[in-house]
Amino acid sequence: MTRQISPENCTATRGEALPARLIAWYDRHHRRLPWRLPPDAIRAGRRPDPYRVWLSEIMLQQTTVGAAKPYFDTFTERWPTLADLAAADRDDVMKAWAGLGYYSRARNLKKCAEAVMTRHGGVFPETEQALKALPGIGDYTAAAVAAIAFGRPAAVVDGNVERVVTRLSAIETPLPAAKPEIRRIVAAMVPTTRPGDFAQAMMDLGATICTPRRPSCILCPVMGDCAAQRLGAAERFPLKAPKTEKPVREGAAFVAVRQDGAVLLRRRPDKGLLAGMSEVPTSGWTARRDGEKDTEAAPFPAQWSACGVVTHVFTHFTLRLSVYRAAVGHAAAADDHWWSRPEALNGEALPTVMKKAIEAAIPGATKAQRKAAGQ
């Protein structure tokens, strides 16, 4: 049973409406984030930069704040404006994104920047509908940019907000089935004044107070409104549907090392998993089928030696790659391959699974890359 939060019951014993009380808490306790314009700056007349808001929201999809921060700093230092990013070389964008995962976000990031420049004269549209027409922007990102950058009353619902709302209303419907109900509740709560700060307050509440485990209910500014807290069952929410076991796919990765330490790489196809990223040669594994696991799938004959198995978890499957290494002297690279010297390896667009494979064959080879990416 859901104990519905509505405009009529959004008041607590202190007589202050839940959104107003939450925003007052946010004014005092908001997180200081590199992409965020704090409340005092907004009160002083400054306005959030839609480019920085949009960039951060794209990066934060399926990514923690801690992991996103160094990438955000790198992008905004290298491409400080939307026009700079739109004019950037796509391979450079993919290289700067390497290690952050979910690489379709990086491809759509470039496409979206180009679309805003060509369709909207370099100015982000302000409405959710117009934002959703841009590449890579879905319901959540459109609502977040509309609310935070432009002060539009939009229902912004991320994982933190889902947790807060399921506890406030003691929603018994498991996620993800509860998402439409959560969105309706949030939409009813959004104030007409400071909707962007309200959205960020909800996210901050979930990130710092209403945490998945051991929430700090005694510090919560809306504790009096929380049905789950009254039941003494805050950690029970949100309910989640049972997870289905991910299939395991297998394949092989081949780390060829030239005499000068250069590693043979190639570029993945422009469509599909890890599209456009760099990789060492691998067997033909996909999300749906296994690839060869032994040296019969090697890109060329050599003395391939086994270096163990690396495991990487994707969204819908787990991949186990048998890694092989071979020293190849001064061999020339095929037309669609290239040799990446040790000092250049940290600038390649290598996804995490390929870094793991290279590390298995050449311990320490990607440490400079992890350090540069802030990982």
Side-chain angles (χ1 to χ4, degrees):
M1 180 177 66
T2 299
R3 292 161 175 80
Q4 182 75 32
I5 296 290
S6 69
E8 290 74 24
N9 62 19
C10 275
T11 57
T13 56
R14 284 175 283 183
E16 201 176 4
L18 183 150
R21 192 160 66 260
L22 186 56
I23 289 174
W25 170 83
Y26 175 75
D27 285 343
R28 297 188 300 273
H29 302 291
H30 59 273
R31 290 179 292 175
R32 297 189 180 277
L33 302 173
W35 47 80
R36 175 179 286 175
L37 198 59
D40 56 349
I42 293 176
R43 286 194 295 270
R46 293 177 60 191
R47 293 291 177 263
D49 181 351
Y51 170 63
R52 293 173 70 88
V53 173
W54 161 75
L55 179 62
S56 67
E57 291 299 339
I58 298 297
M59 287 186 170
L60 288 167
Q61 295 170 13
Q62 305 293 330
T63 304
T64 65
V65 166
K69 279 182 179 180
Y71 286 89
F72 181 85
D73 291 341
T74 296
F75 268 72
T76 52
E77 287 172 7
R78 189 167 183 181
W79 302 294
T81 69
L82 180 75
D84 294 324
L85 183 59
D89 182 90
R90 192 192 76 158
D91 287 345
D92 289 339
V93 174
M94 298 301 288
K95 289 177 181 179
W97 192 275
L100 197 55
Y102 297 89
Y103 296 98
S104 62
R105 293 181 296 168
R107 295 191 296 274
N108 284 327
L109 194 76
K110 180 75 166 68
K111 292 177 183 177
C112 185
E114 293 170 345
V116 174
M117 294 301 298
T118 57
R119 300 181 202 171
H120 302 282
V123 179
F124 271 97
E126 298 187 10
T127 67
E128 290 181 79
Q129 183 177 0
L131 286 163
K132 283 194 289 187
L134 294 169
I137 295 186
D139 290 342
Y140 166 76
T141 304
V145 174
I148 298 170
F150 300 111
R152 297 275 181 151
V156 182
V157 182
D158 70 350
N160 285 315
V161 175
E162 288 176 347
R163 186 166 57 256
V164 169
V165 173
T166 56
R167 289 173 176 174
L168 282 172
S169 294
I171 295 176
E172 295 287 348
T173 306
L175 287 170
K179 287 178 180 288
E181 183 179 4
I182 293 168
R183 185 175 177 83
R184 287 194 297 271
I185 293 173
V186 174
M189 295 169 65
V190 176
T192 55
T193 58
R194 301 181 65 183
D197 283 346
F198 171 76
Q200 292 176 109
M202 288 284 281
M203 291 187 277
D204 277 14
L205 185 69
T208 63
I209 300 293
C210 197
T211 50
R213 295 179 179 84
R214 301 184 66 181
S216 303
C217 296
I218 193 66
L219 301 177
C220 179
V222 295
M223 181 178 67
D225 299 280
C226 185
Q229 200 277 333
R230 289 195 296 272
L231 293 171
E235 288 192 60
R236 179 170 174 265
F237 300 94
L239 278 67
K240 295 183 179 180
K243 291 184 178 180
T244 57
E245 188 173 350
K246 294 181 179 181
V248 177
R249 299 291 178 237
E250 296 185 311
F254 300 92
V255 182
V257 186
R258 205 168 57 181
Q259 190 170 351
D260 60 358
V263 174
L264 185 66
L265 299 178
R266 67 185 184 187
R267 190 166 178 263
R268 289 184 62 83
D270 286 334
K271 293 184 179 180
L273 187 67
L274 305 177
M277 301 299 290
S278 302
E279 69 171 359
V280 296
T282 69
S283 58
W285 59 269
T286 71
R288 294 179 175 82
R289 64 178 177 83
D290 294 335
E292 295 292 332
K293 296 187 296 181
D294 54 34
T295 56
E296 291 182 5
F300 49 78
Q303 294 295 317
W304 295 100
S305 58
C307 299
V309 176
V310 298
T311 301
H312 188 75
V313 179
F314 290 95
T315 304
H316 301 298
F317 71 103
T318 297
L319 176 65
R320 288 172 50 86
L321 285 178
S322 298
V323 180
Y324 300 91
R325 170 179 172 164
V328 295
H330 292 283
D335 291 342
D336 56 346
H337 294 60
W338 70 95
W339 291 99
S340 182
R341 294 173 62 88
E343 64 272 16
L345 196 61
N346 61 9
E348 301 287 358
L350 289 165
T352 300
V353 63
M354 292 303 148
K355 295 178 191 176
K356 290 180 179 180
I358 294 172
E359 279 291 315
I362 316 172
T366 66
K367 286 183 178 179
Q369 182 164 0
R370 288 198 294 269
K371 183 177 180 181
Q375 298 178 351

